[in-house]
Amino acid sequence: MVAVTNLHASSPPSRLDLDAIKQAHSLRQVAAREGVKLKRVGNEWKGLCPFHSESTPSFTIYADEKRWHCFGCQKTGDVLDFVQEARGLRALQDAAEYLCGSEPPKIEHFTCSTSAPPATAHNVHLAPGQSIVATFDYVDADGVLLHRKHRIEPGDEGRTKTFRFDRPGPNGSWIKGQGDERVPYRLPDLVSAPHSMPIFMAEGEAKADRLAEWGFLATSHKDWKSYDWSSYVRGRTVFILPDNDEAGQAQAEKAHKAIEAAEGVAHVIDLPGLPDGGDILDWDGGAEELRRLATKNDRAEARITATPFLWRDPTTIPQRPWIYGRHLLRGTVSLLIAPGATGKSALVAGRALSLATGRPFLGHSVWEGPKRVWIWNLEDSREELDRSIMGAAIHWGLGPADIADRLFVDTALDGAGLCLASAQEKTTIIRPVADALATELEQRAIDVLVVDPFISSHACDENDNPSIDAIVKEWGRIANRTATSILLVHHTRKQLTGTIDADSARGAKALVDGARMVEALNRMSTDEAEKFGVPNAEHRQYFSADAGAKPNRAPAPGKADWYHLASVSLGNGPGGGDSIGVAEPWSPPDAFDGVSVDHLRRVQAIIADGEYRENQQANNWAGHAVAEVLGLDLSKKADRRRAASLLREWRENGCFTIERRPDAKGDVRPFLVVGKPA
């Protein structure tokens, strides 16, 4: 059921100030924020169209940067049309709010042109005895007159009335006929009203004007074939008021079908007490009675409609807008969970520089070139942030030109605090802060925002699921509105043991549930150090990042990424000054590094000629054959682990099998024997 709201408007709705909105928002900048790569060609800008698949640019922004057109899919329009197409927004109001925030500029108390006094200057034919008794202006969304509809009495051929049209011509003249452009009556009201405000349709302009006088959003359905309903009624509630005769009921039924076909929700209200052939102009009821009927009708005609799936060519489906590897996705919120002293700050600094330069030096692609990154740290000093960033810049050989103007850094300790929500009796999103943040993200065209830590970005109970759910959803709305990837850095619970994963996050579970991707950092354990051959004294210099903690938009990676904290001197004091840990990719040793098929053949030959056990504790363990071929020292734990790993993999591939038979003492033991030859 679609709830009826905004029925009690006491005056016609304010009209969006479309000129002010278009003037304030550069079409080229908006298109660029939506991912369109533009290149100047003469006085115009061209790029690949975001609305269909193509390899040759056909999307064009004209020299005045006010209009665009795609010569491929033939779509065209201004900045508001672009936003509606790019964001899938149904109403002009929604596009205006996307660009301007919750309160786009309006022309207050705007009243759409309604029935005017009978026109004295016109270009319609009047037979002797005929006169124009009413004139109805049809205007476009900006209020520009397109044509006029004149009611002429008496009508032609004995009818009571006839309607004829004319339209503006040059130098104040009038041209006979409607012209080519068809629009609904009172169009500016339709496009500027909130999407939740229901539309009232009557059979004729004078009746629509009466409804508007009563404070309703109104239009006429009389000429419903003349224009496309979909863009005006999709997703909206529409009330149809038929004339009280057979023709009126037929017209109402046609309108009902057209609205439903356009994915609107249509209701027919039969006004009680109408005389035969009567209409809203003859009705004894008033605005309040009509509101009551509309509310009752909507509740009685609850309707839920399933949308049929439309098969489409999968090659035309736009790719997900990944920004960094399969970690950061445009328009979504991601979560990075880490215990203290893991390498989190070094990883954040390194990724920020990788994004800002477009260089994949941490092992992940920066899709479509350098990105604009904003680090907003809420717990460290500016000097500490500078140390991390400049240490990474030194390590990777970066200079100012590599970053240009694409990196932004703020810290709460320098006064740049951030509080998105507060809680007294209930959690409240601080709307001015959320709107100001979204505006800054849009104006700076930020691609990635890092908030570190999440707990310091609000003043609510971190263990309260409803509160945290509301906050993370607000972050999601900001990400979606601004097409930014927002990374929230979060702490783990205290006194944790074992591997860090999504369930290790401190506080309410709603945070993890609300994030699209969750990545967990883990220090290298002593067991892993032994396995990888890392000296025990150095294992804290290594950490892993597992992006598979909760992969909602990409398959979980097969393994975690490993990083080593390289020591970099800043040169800011004696002995090289401060030493900074900089994250660099590191790969654990692979047991098969340097191992060939020939090595396997030689191991198989040795085992085939002898008696080798599966058990590592046996004196004749098969690992001795591996050590003989590869020159391993089985007294070293790393070499022993490598031999065991190779044998395990070869067994799984069928190169060796297990055969149980008596040993020299007659006890049945598992022996390793050759399977399929290499």
Side-chain angles (χ1 to χ4, degrees):
M1 179 174 67
V2 178
V4 180
T5 57
N6 294 332
L7 285 174
H8 293 275
S10 59
S11 61
S14 301
R15 175 186 165 195
L16 291 170
D17 192 339
L18 299 177
D19 290 338
I21 295 171
K22 295 173 187 177
Q23 187 70 25
H25 295 87
S26 163
L27 172 57
R28 180 162 56 89
Q29 291 179 2
V30 170
R33 286 202 301 269
E34 293 296 328
V36 182
K37 284 189 169 183
L38 295 168
K39 182 179 181 180
R40 182 182 285 278
V41 180
N43 292 328
E44 299 175 342
W45 294 86
K46 292 186 179 293
L48 295 177
C49 180
F51 309 129
H52 75 284
S53 178
E54 63 177 8
S55 56
T56 302
S58 60
F59 178 84
T60 301
I61 295 179
Y62 295 119
D64 61 3
E65 298 191 17
K66 297 183 183 299
R67 303 285 299 178
W68 59 272
H69 179 76
C70 176
F71 292 91
C73 64
Q74 300 303 315
K75 292 180 179 178
T76 192
D78 55 29
V79 66
L80 287 164
D81 297 313
F82 181 88
V83 169
Q84 282 186 276
E85 285 286 345
R87 291 279 148 187
L89 302 176
R90 294 173 172 174
L92 191 65
Q93 174 82 18
D94 298 333
E97 290 182 359
Y98 175 83
L99 286 174
C100 306
S102 58
E103 291 295 332
K106 295 179 180 179
I107 300 173
E108 297 299 329
H109 309 303
F110 170 79
T111 302
C112 182
S113 175
T114 61
S115 54
T120 55
H122 60 81
N123 191 354
V124 296
H125 172 72
L126 295 177
Q130 287 185 326
S131 63
I132 297 174
V133 299
T135 298
F136 305 98
D137 292 346
Y138 278 74
V139 299
D140 67 12
D142 295 323
V144 177
L145 180 63
L146 299 176
H147 61 263
R148 303 183 300 181
K149 182 177 181 179
H150 304 284
R151 175 173 173 144
I152 298 169
E153 294 182 0
D156 299 335
E157 300 177 353
R159 294 190 293 268
T160 59
K161 61 183 181 293
T162 291
F163 293 96
R164 293 193 176 96
F165 299 86
D166 62 9
R167 63 188 188 277
N171 304 318
S173 64
W174 296 95
I175 302 173
K176 188 178 297 184
Q178 286 179 273
D180 295 330
E181 189 166 0
R182 302 287 196 270
V183 295
Y185 188 55
R186 306 183 67 89
L187 175 59
D189 286 356
L190 296 181
V191 299
S192 62
H195 203 68
S196 60
M197 178 176 269
I199 301 171
F200 285 76
M201 289 186 175
E203 187 183 335
E205 294 83 1
K207 302 161 193 176
D209 290 340
R210 171 64 60 85
L211 292 167
E213 291 171 4
W214 287 354
F216 296 104
L217 177 63
T219 189
S220 168
H221 66 75
K222 183 66 176 292
D223 297 316
W224 65 272
K225 288 184 178 179
S226 300
Y227 51 85
D228 179 14
W229 286 91
S230 61
S231 60
Y232 306 112
V233 302
R234 182 180 292 115
R236 302 183 76 157
T237 299
V238 182
F239 295 104
I240 303 167
L241 308 181
D243 291 356
N244 190 29
D245 54 24
E246 187 175 336
Q249 291 293 332
Q251 285 279 358
E253 182 59 27
K254 288 182 180 179
H256 189 287
K257 290 180 179 179
I259 294 164
E260 293 285 322
E263 301 179 18
V265 180
H267 305 275
V268 176
I269 299 179
D270 292 311
L271 299 176
L274 279 182
D276 291 341
D279 53 49
I280 187 73
L281 299 177
D282 306 307
W283 191 43
D284 291 335
E288 289 303 321
E289 175 66 9
L290 182 55
R291 291 188 184 100
R292 187 188 66 79
L293 290 172
T295 302
K296 177 181 178 181
N297 188 284
D298 183 65
R299 290 173 179 169
E301 295 189 19
R303 184 184 304 229
I304 297 175
T305 304
T307 302
F309 175 73
L310 297 179
W311 191 267
R312 61 187 296 186
D313 181 352
T315 63
T316 66
I317 301 174
Q319 286 186 309
R320 292 187 179 119
W322 292 105
I323 294 177
Y324 180 78
R326 292 295 185 267
H327 292 66
L328 300 177
L329 183 63
R330 195 178 295 279
T332 67
V333 174
S334 299
L335 189 64
L336 177 64
I337 303 172
T342 303
K344 175 259 297 179
S345 297
L347 184 63
V348 167
R351 284 186 177 174
L353 290 179
S354 177
L355 286 160
T357 61
R359 301 181 187 178
F361 47 70
L362 289 184
H364 294 284
S365 298
V366 181
W367 302 108
E368 299 183 350
K371 297 294 182 285
R372 298 172 69 81
V373 186
W374 185 4
I375 300 175
W376 200 338
N377 191 288
L378 303 173
E379 64 181 3
D380 294 325
S381 67
R382 181 57 185 254
E383 287 77 11
E384 200 58 45
L385 295 176
D386 289 348
R387 291 185 185 100
S388 294
I389 293 170
M390 294 312 301
I394 292 170
H395 184 72
W396 298 111
L398 304 178
D402 296 309
I403 299 170
D405 63 346
R406 295 185 292 271
L407 182 60
F408 303 83
V409 180
D410 285 285
T411 170
L413 298 190
D414 284 351
L418 172 64
C419 186
L420 192 68
S422 63
Q424 295 178 359
E425 294 183 359
K426 65 176 183 177
T427 299
T428 302
I429 300 298
I430 304 175
R431 185 55 51 197
V433 173
D435 290 343
L437 175 58
T439 298
E440 183 69 0
L441 290 170
E442 290 177 323
Q443 291 180 348
R444 296 280 191 179
I446 299 296
D447 296 295
V448 177
L449 170 65
V450 181
V451 178
D452 181 11
F454 166 74
I455 190 175
S456 298
S457 69
H458 61 86
C460 301
D461 180 357
E462 69 170 335
N463 296 303
D464 183 64
N465 267 303
S467 295
I468 299 304
D469 180 65
I471 296 168
V472 73
K473 283 180 178 174
E474 184 61 30
W475 278 117
R477 279 188 284 269
I478 293 172
N480 182 65
R481 168 184 162 181
T482 62
T484 302
S485 178
I486 295 179
L487 176 62
L488 304 177
V489 181
H490 193 48
H491 296 148
T492 58
R493 300 194 307 273
K494 304 246 183 235
Q495 299 177 340
L496 278 177
T497 58
T499 302
I500 303 300
D501 58 18
D503 292 333
S504 306
R506 65 184 283 177
K509 189 174 181 294
L511 176 59
V512 170
D513 292 342
R516 289 299 183 192
M517 293 286 291
V518 178
E519 187 174 15
L521 303 190
N522 281 275
R523 301 185 192 94
M524 180 181 285
S525 67
T526 54
D527 286 344
E528 287 171 326
E530 181 181 340
K531 174 182 176 182
F532 298 147
V534 173
N536 191 52
E538 300 176 9
H539 78 277
R540 289 184 175 274
Q541 298 173 15
Y542 299 83
F543 67 94
S544 64
D546 184 2
K550 183 198 169 188
N552 278 11
R553 288 293 183 268
K559 57 184 179 180
D561 295 324
W562 279 95
Y563 298 93
H564 170 245
L565 291 174
S567 181
V568 175
S569 295
L570 296 182
N572 57 346
D578 291 326
S579 181
I580 304 300
V582 174
E584 61 180 5
W586 178 81
S587 295
D590 189 334
F592 280 86
D593 285 346
V595 177
S596 67
V597 174
D598 182 64
H599 289 125
L600 171 57
R601 291 194 188 104
R602 290 161 59 190
V603 172
Q604 284 183 325
I606 293 172
I607 290 178
D609 289 340
E611 295 284 323
Y612 287 91
R613 294 271 304 279
E614 178 198 25
N615 191 336
Q616 291 190 38
Q617 305 304 317
N619 292 330
N620 57 341
W621 174 46
H624 290 282
V626 177
E628 180 180 341
V629 172
L630 297 179
L632 303 181
D633 183 354
L634 295 185
S635 66
K636 295 180 179 179
K637 291 183 178 180
D639 282 3
R640 195 173 186 86
R641 286 178 182 273
R642 185 182 184 193
S645 179
L646 288 168
L647 288 171
R648 182 170 55 253
E649 186 74 19
W650 284 331
R651 274 189 54 200
E652 290 176 357
N653 291 333
C655 299
F656 294 100
T657 61
I658 299 298
E659 181 179 288
R660 301 184 66 84
R661 63 172 184 263
D663 62 9
K665 297 180 180 180
D667 297 325
V668 177
R669 305 287 186 186
F671 286 82
L672 200 70
V673 297
V674 176
K676 61 183 180 182

